[in-house]
Amino acid sequence: MITTHPFDDDKLREECGVFGVAGAVDAAAMVALGLHALQHRGQEAAGISSFDGRHFHNHKALGHVAGNFDSEDTMRQLKGDWAIGHVRYATTGETALRNVQPLYAELSSGGFAIAHNGNISNAMKLRHDLVRTGSIFQSTSDTETIIHLVATSRYRTLLDKFIDALKQVEGAYSLICLTDSGMIACRDPLGIRPLVMGRIGDAVIFASETVALDIVGAEFERSVEPGELIVVSGGEIRSHRPFAEKQSRPCIFEHVYFSRPDSIVDGSSVYSVRKAIGAQLAMENPVEADLVVPVPDSGTPAAIGYAQQSGLPFELGIIRSHYVGRTFIQPGDGVRHLGVKLKHNANKPLIAGKRLVLIDDSIVRGTTSLKIVQMMRDAGAAEVHMRIASPPTMHSCFYGVDTPERSKLLAAQKSIEEMRQFIQADSLSFLSIDGLYRALGEASRNDDRPRYCDACFTGDYPTTLTDLAERDQPNQLTLLAERVAG
């Protein structure tokens, strides 16, 4: 079967997206709209949980938001003025309906629904301990661990139980929880995963990105701060800071690729940052060429910045079709390779005889870049120079991003010259790590106190990775400890 996403299959996969509405008529319908705007963050499954003051209502489905949450019958069942939703790309647990969020459970305090963006890096250890003491898990998702920690906590109030649970988990999380008494939104102490708050009338909205606020007409109020826990209940909003204060380390790849370009992340326009990244790339890695061509769609803002800085013309040398669905061509049909052109095609009259600078956001396995370069050669390009708007991706992510194991990351196995040979480009260059920080307004990367989580580039993980350490051989533990900042 051809996936019809031959260029997208070699990207780092976005984690998940969360959206919550506290106190609005037809809250579930508003959540469905918000999830549409966050579809790029998770395309395997979607779910919505609502509360009408007496009962919880839940609907989950595999596939996109559209087709699962656009029928009147479905939305009519999701009653209430309070609702949370989730779009999922699996980073832990298989793709199955039991893992689709929000996860829901009946606790001693009442109903509890939770939507999670991120990854709990000690979930397996916690799960083992919980099962040993009698917990019965219904999914393979790391998120369910939080539910069991809440359920088994010895604290009295639900809020204290929830805080107790979070103090036991490691890793990255932005959470929105729906309870009988209100809504809880929180972000991990390092702020690795994003979460913002907005308002529409008297309703409070939480979302992974500001673009989801835009689609429902909500005004962006502020980001949920790292380590902050916000409770919306009885018309009141209360902010709690139950964790020891730490220097924040938000994910730098949100600016490079994950977030939509029309979002605001950490106070900066994603589109403007990506243009600045492209300009920095041009300053660091110039090349004599005729055209700057983006690899659509994620490479486009950086390509604009590169073109403006270099003075080279910007052109759409690759045309992307946005109307391709799934096809079912068997591998033995002899036309599997033609699937590339179902979604992307070379603009031959523009490319023929030209020296091209191709701009993409990253190289993961390298298979995508090889296809793109070959497509340009076949279209008659005289030269193909690849410029990547991020440093080499050399390490796996353990904070909610689906990355291949390190042995499958091209940059972890080959030098840049070997990578160039592999993708068959005339030249290949990456943005430096200091250049990436400069594009984000920093003078350079402060190795002692880096502003962002950039572990996929540097191997500098900002938290302990208990499950990984226990899985690895003993001789790897020392190496891991040396690169993990406590």
Side-chain angles (χ1 to χ4, degrees), residues 35-56:
L35 294 181
H36 272 287
L38 298 173
Q39 187 72 84
H40 60 287
R41 299 187 73 90
Q43 301 176 40
E44 287 189 350
I48 295 177
S49 295
S50 68
F51 181 63
D52 62 10
R54 296 184 61 191
H55 303 289
F56 282 82

Side-chain angles (χ1 to χ4, degrees), residues 382-394:
E383 297 176 10
V384 182
H385 302 275
M386 201 83 179
R387 295 293 181 268
I388 306 301
S390 66
T393 302
M394 300 183 67

Side-chain angles (χ1 to χ4, degrees), residues 181-199:
S181 57
M183 187 172 292
I184 305 171
C186 66
R187 200 171 170 198
D188 67 74
L190 298 179
I192 298 174
R193 302 266 65 88
L195 191 63
V196 298
M197 181 172 70
R199 287 179 181 270

